[in-house]
Amino acid sequence: MAIPTESLPPPGRGSTEIDFLLGAFPRGQLSEIVGSWSSGGESLLLALLARATAGGRLAALVDGADAFDPTAAAAAGADLSSLLWVRCGGDTVRALRAADLLARCPGFAVVALDLGERVLTRRQPVPPAAWRRLQRAVEGSGAALVLRVPRHVAGAAAALVLDAERGRAQWVGSPRPTRLDGLLSRIRVLRSRAPAPLQAEGVWTLSWRL
């Protein structure tokens, strides 16, 4: 059964805000979601993949760190039959080549490259030219190319850069809240050169249900 794109888990709340934010990723350009582990960046990427596939479109995920959880993706509303998953075993060069190839392929609404939390730190730094090649690869296509990394690395090649920061935890229960219900994250716009740009330095507060 298809899950309406207007109510995506995650997030469990604020569907209007998340829909607007997810719709801001520009097609034919490179975007970045940056943030450390548990900041909400992975959840934002997962919501983007769920939004695309639940809406009947195709998406691809290049999993640089082999950290993708299909069960969590399905629970978030992703249609796994419409998602191409490429595992790269921590090989950054292989991940970049796969993303470059997929960005040139027609038919994808979203091509995501997730380099994980430790891939960039244990390898040689990726040269800036690699990000410019990715940007050129996706130009003229109908796909939004999204890079998920712990820190900003793409420089001027990224048209949209969103920084995720972990907020406070949300607890529920009566008479005392003792059960963890979800987490808040703050999404800050570091750069936006999209056709309909987000407000520079804008801040979005999103709620993610566990």
Side-chain angles (χ1 to χ4, degrees):
M1 181 178 66
I3 296 178
T5 57
E6 292 79 13
S7 56
L8 291 171
R13 312 168 191 79
S15 60
T16 301
E17 289 79 5
I18 189 69
D19 282 346
F20 182 83
L21 186 59
L22 294 178
F25 285 89
R27 294 190 177 192
Q29 297 191 60
L30 174 66
S31 299
E32 248 185 325
I33 300 173
V34 303
S36 61
W37 179 82
S38 196
S39 65
E42 292 288 347
S43 294
L44 184 61
L45 178 61
L46 192 60
L48 180 64
L49 295 173
R51 184 180 193 263
T53 57
R57 294 169 293 171
L58 299 177
L61 172 64
V62 179
D63 186 7
D66 287 354
F68 177 66
D69 183 355
T71 302
D79 180 359
L80 297 182
S81 67
S82 298
L83 177 65
L84 174 64
W85 176 23
V86 181
R87 300 178 63 181
C88 299
D91 190 326
T92 306
V93 174
R94 183 183 301 174
L96 289 168
R97 289 175 178 171
D100 185 284
L101 176 63
L102 291 170
R104 300 175 191 273
C105 293
F108 291 108
V110 176
V111 175
L113 171 58
D114 189 350
L115 292 181
E117 188 71 21
R118 294 181 295 273
V119 171
L120 289 178
T121 59
R122 71 187 184 206
R123 306 289 187 191
Q124 290 295 324
V126 179
W131 312 122
R132 293 195 293 271
R133 282 196 297 269
L134 283 180
Q135 170 54 41
R136 289 195 297 269
V138 78
E139 284 179 354
S141 80
L145 178 57
V146 182
L147 175 64
R148 167 72 185 111
V149 282
R151 63 183 185 277
H152 179 41
V153 294
L160 176 66
V161 181
L162 301 180
D163 177 61
E165 178 184 350
R166 180 175 175 176
R168 63 180 176 82
Q170 294 179 311
W171 300 85
V172 295
S174 179
R176 296 192 321 173
T178 56
R179 181 170 62 86
L180 182 63
D181 183 53
L183 297 171
L184 292 177
S185 62
R186 288 182 292 274
I187 309 298
R188 186 160 56 100
V189 181
L190 300 183
R191 174 187 300 151
S192 180
R193 296 198 308 262
L198 296 173
Q199 181 181 356
E201 298 297 330
V203 178
W204 302 71
T205 300
L206 302 180
S207 177
W208 311 99
R209 263 200 190 122
L210 300 181

